[in-house]
Amino acid sequence: MTDPPRPLVAGNWKMNGLGGDGLALAADLARRAASAKGEESPACDLLVCPPATLLWRVAEALGQSPIAVGGQDCHADAKGAHTGDIGAEMLKDAGATYAIVGHSERRAGHSETDALVRAKAEAALGAGLCAIVCIGETEAQYGAGETLGVLEKQLAGSLPKGPGIAPGAAKVVIAYEPIWAIGTGLTPSLDEIARVHAHIRGILGGASAEGGSIRILYGGSVNAANAAEILALEEVNGALVGGASLHADDFWSIARSCP
Ligand code: 13P
């Protein structure tokens, strides 16, 4: 068995944040990171994913801090005639080191397929970014007991080919986000989260050094009150946080909940 990977607590700001509040939030987090000493420091890597309009300014605000910056999506092509889209190299150029791909809000709202998500993940890796590949079942699939099968199919279709299995595995992060738990205040039970994460780890080849090194984040209504018990679960290697990441107190408290 390999040691569990260092947790990652990532904030997905979604379509929230203008120069004023977004930069104030980044500055607040940078201040906390700079003044946290010893045991006050979160036992995890930290990441914020602001809207693209704020990316470079947030990256600049966090430049001296250990908090990384990521994009919320990237195009599968490096560049070209794709009006309104952003390539992975552009994210990197703006200061990002991560890109979220395949978030359920993009899968649903922009008809993104597993194949497209895989292409985006490969583009992110190709640009030298870590790709956070999101998967998750709908409420109906959860109700029908189809969760594990749905996740297996999404992983098979949307992970970059040979992720984690090839060198650079640590560059892929999986985020398990049950769609019905996003923004609803609902979460699966701790047992359910643990069972799903163990299953994903098995699919990744958890017994191998590469498969064991891939971080599996949980996302969906993580908040300051429930973070500690979720983050303490085996095979939960951090969290992808939406709403609560917009509040410095909450995000910091979640990060500090890492065991
Ligand atoms: P909430 O934390 O607001 O439920 O959002 C989760 C999410 O979608 C993060 O990507």
Side-chain angles (χ1 to χ4, degrees), residues 73-95:
D73 177 47
C74 69
H75 197 278
D77 290 347
K79 60 179 177 178
H82 302 295
T83 303
D85 279 313
I86 298 176
E89 294 233 1
M90 294 170 174
L91 295 179
K92 189 171 182 202
D93 188 49

Side-chain angles (χ1 to χ4, degrees), residues 12 14 102-106 134-137 175-188 218-222 240-243:
N12 176 8
K14 306 191 180 182
H103 192 283
S104 59
E105 287 154 13
R106 294 206 59 89
C134 300
I135 56 173
E137 81 283 5
Y176 167 53
E177 299 203 305
I179 295 169
W180 53 273
I182 294 176
T184 59
L186 302 172
T187 59
Y218 169 78
S221 294
V222 175
L240 183 53
V241 186

Side-chain angles (χ1 to χ4, degrees), residues 58-165:
V58 167
E60 230 175 36
L62 294 175
Q64 304 304 316
S65 88
I67 306 173
V69 176
Q72 299 177 9
D73 177 47
C74 69
H75 197 278
D77 290 347
K79 60 179 177 178
H82 302 295
T83 303
D85 279 313
I86 298 176
E89 294 233 1
M90 294 170 174
L91 295 179
K92 189 171 182 202
D93 188 49
T97 50
Y98 286 80
I100 298 171
V101 295
H103 192 283
S104 59
E105 287 154 13
R106 294 206 59 89
R107 288 179 185 261
H110 297 261
S111 307
E112 294 196 358
T113 62
D114 283 338
L116 180 60
V117 174
R118 165 177 283 157
K120 290 182 172 203
E122 289 174 348
L125 295 183
L129 302 175
C130 294
I132 302 179
V133 180
C134 300
I135 56 173
E137 81 283 5
T138 63
E139 185 172 19
Q141 291 163 337
Y142 172 76
E146 295 169 0
T147 299
L148 297 182
V150 168
L151 300 180
E152 271 171 38
K153 187 166 164 290
Q154 288 178 331
L155 282 173
S158 48
L159 277 184
K161 286 259 169 70
I165 304 169

